[in-house]
Amino acid sequence: MASEDVVGKRSESAVTTIVNLAEEAKIASEGVKAPSHAAIFSIAKSLAAGGIAGGVSRTAVAPLERLKILLQVQNPHSIKYNGTVQGLKYIWRTEGLRGLFKGNGTNCARIVPNSAVKFFSYEEASRGILWFYRQQTGNEDAELTPLLRLGAGACAGIIAMSATYPMDLVRGRITVQTDKSPSQYRGIFHALRTVFVEEGPRALYKGWLPSVIGVIPYVGLNFAVYESLKDWLVKTRPFGLAQDSELSVTTKLGCGAVAGTIGQTVAYPLDVIRRRMQMGGWKNAASVVTGESKAPLEYSGMVDAFRKTVRHEGVGALYKGLVPNSVKVVPSIAIAFVTYEVVKDILGVEMRISD
């Protein structure tokens, strides 16, 4: 009888345990909810705002963007573009209005998803970093520091750049080719297919490493300086620039301009090397990107590209195209940030970094 009582108690205990586990599982499953339609719609609107911001800002400065790339990769033994004004006049005279915007369609096709992912990734990375920072410090009211914003911006830049890098490569090549190029890329998909077939899949990521290294200070500083400068202006209110914790569009444009100038100056040499590596191995490259022997440029890697560029053209070659890029990047970054915030306001998307 005693043994039967023990078995009965064990059976009852096992059943109770199973029931409790089932109830806990039910409660847990009820706590895990699928994203609501409102949340999904909010994410879509945030991505749309970022995409629109990228497309508007790049189109506004497309002629300067093309000239910058041409200056970065042009043949040092056959100079066609001597500066910003002369370069723009030369393009207008030889290729007309379409020449000034050559490659902009491809650039927008790349920059719209790139910008959408970048802005969205920045907000999500900021939320995650802020949550972790508050957990570590035990301060639930802690705010993002400039260094943490730099980290969030760097994460966003790497994710966005890596996701759209092949588009950046073919955009650079389409931008460089002229009517006299031996062979023409007829469009984005033709260029992608041609590079894949003739040079292999790895060619689609030529120059990726300097891009990753360069995007950390460039995008990171852009977001860090822009957000930190806005916060400083709102808190200190110098010259009456902030009214009721709000900044005017003009002031935000100024913040974006400062952020863009600092970011692009630090990262520019890496952008030159990236662009030159992207041109390497292109057998039908226009003469503008080839050397004195008319042979396509070839680099074994990022360090080799730096070494050959400095040895043959001097340190100044690492800053070719900096002037038109400086003229371009200030309005470009400023327009992108302001357009993003304006579109978000229109679509009713709220910033979620401090959630």
Side-chain angles (χ1 to χ4, degrees):
M1 294 292 293
S3 61
E4 291 179 358
D5 290 341
V6 171
V7 172
K9 289 179 179 179
R10 288 179 177 176
S11 299
E12 184 179 349
S13 177
V15 171
T16 302
T17 300
I18 292 173
V19 170
N20 290 337
L21 289 173
E23 290 179 351
E24 290 177 4
K26 181 180 179 181
I27 293 172
S29 65
E30 290 175 350
V32 179
K33 297 181 179 179
S36 65
H37 291 296
I40 294 174
F41 192 49
S42 177
I43 292 173
K45 290 192 292 185
S46 182
L47 288 170
I52 293 170
V56 170
S57 65
R58 288 309 174 96
T59 300
V61 297
L64 290 166
E65 175 69 13
R66 187 182 184 217
L67 179 61
K68 178 202 76 171
I69 296 175
L70 288 168
L71 286 168
Q72 286 179 335
V73 302
Q74 77 171 332
N75 182 351
H77 305 288
S78 178
I79 302 298
K80 296 180 180 179
Y81 312 97
N82 289 311
T84 305
V85 176
Q86 182 274 337
L88 291 173
K89 286 182 176 178
Y90 183 84
I91 295 172
W92 173 268
R93 187 172 66 252
T94 57
E95 302 180 60
L97 180 63
R98 291 183 61 184
L100 293 172
F101 289 87
K102 182 170 288 185
N104 186 56
T106 309
N107 194 22
C108 287
R110 175 193 68 91
I111 202 63
V112 167
N114 178 284
S115 183
V117 172
K118 181 172 63 180
F119 278 101
F120 179 72
S121 297
Y122 174 73
E123 290 193 11
E124 293 303 309
S126 297
R127 291 181 64 201
I129 290 173
L130 180 58
W131 176 86
F132 183 76
Y133 181 59
R134 287 174 174 175
Q135 294 296 313
Q136 292 297 307
T137 60
N139 181 8
E140 292 299 322
D141 296 323
E143 298 295 334
L144 287 171
T145 65
L147 184 60
L148 294 178
R149 287 196 176 102
L150 177 65
C155 291
I158 291 172
I159 292 170
M161 183 274 299
S162 298
T164 59
Y165 191 79
M167 297 289 289
D168 182 65
L169 182 137
V170 300
R171 188 269 300 203
R173 293 193 176 189
I174 291 174
T175 299
V176 164
Q177 72 180 8
T178 67
D179 295 336
K180 297 180 180 179
S181 298
S183 180
Q184 294 281 331
Y185 291 128
R186 295 191 297 271
I188 302 171
F189 297 108
H190 177 254
L192 288 170
R193 184 172 62 253
T194 303
V195 174
F196 184 88
V197 172
E198 293 185 354
E199 302 173 49
R202 291 184 62 182
L204 293 172
Y205 281 87
K206 282 183 176 180
W208 179 82
L209 181 58
S211 296
V212 169
I213 298 173
V215 82
I216 293 173
Y218 180 63
V219 179
L221 283 171
N222 279 347
F223 278 109
V225 174
Y226 180 73
E227 295 291 347
S228 298
L229 190 55
K230 281 203 313 176
D231 284 352
W232 178 77
L233 290 174
V234 168
K235 291 176 182 177
T236 61
R237 300 187 179 186
F239 313 113
L241 292 176
Q243 300 293 332
D244 299 325
S245 299
E246 288 294 331
L247 298 176
S248 67
V249 172
T250 304
T251 304
K252 289 178 181 177
L253 281 170
C255 294
V258 173
T261 301
I262 294 174
Q264 66 95 24
T265 302
V266 172
Y268 194 78
L270 286 158
D271 187 56
V272 172
I273 295 303
R274 170 189 65 153
R275 196 63 66 189
R276 293 190 169 203
M277 290 179 69
Q278 288 179 346
M279 301 301 153
W282 181 15
K283 67 180 182 180
N284 289 317
S287 60
V288 71
V289 300
T290 58
E292 190 173 26
S293 63
K294 304 303 181 184
L297 298 169
E298 288 292 349
Y299 304 113
S300 61
M302 182 180 71
V303 175
D304 183 52
F306 266 110
R307 185 172 59 249
K308 288 181 178 178
T309 298
V310 173
R311 183 171 69 240
H312 295 302
E313 303 174 56
V315 177
L318 297 175
Y319 288 91
K320 282 186 172 181
L322 179 61
V323 174
N325 192 63
S326 297
V327 176
K328 175 212 73 168
V329 79
V330 171
S332 177
I333 297 297
I335 291 171
F337 277 119
V338 174
T339 302
Y340 179 65
E341 295 193 7
V342 169
V343 174
K344 285 187 69 175
D345 289 341
I346 293 173
L347 296 178
V349 182
E350 297 180 357
M351 291 290 284
R352 297 174 293 137
I353 292 175
S354 60
D355 285 0

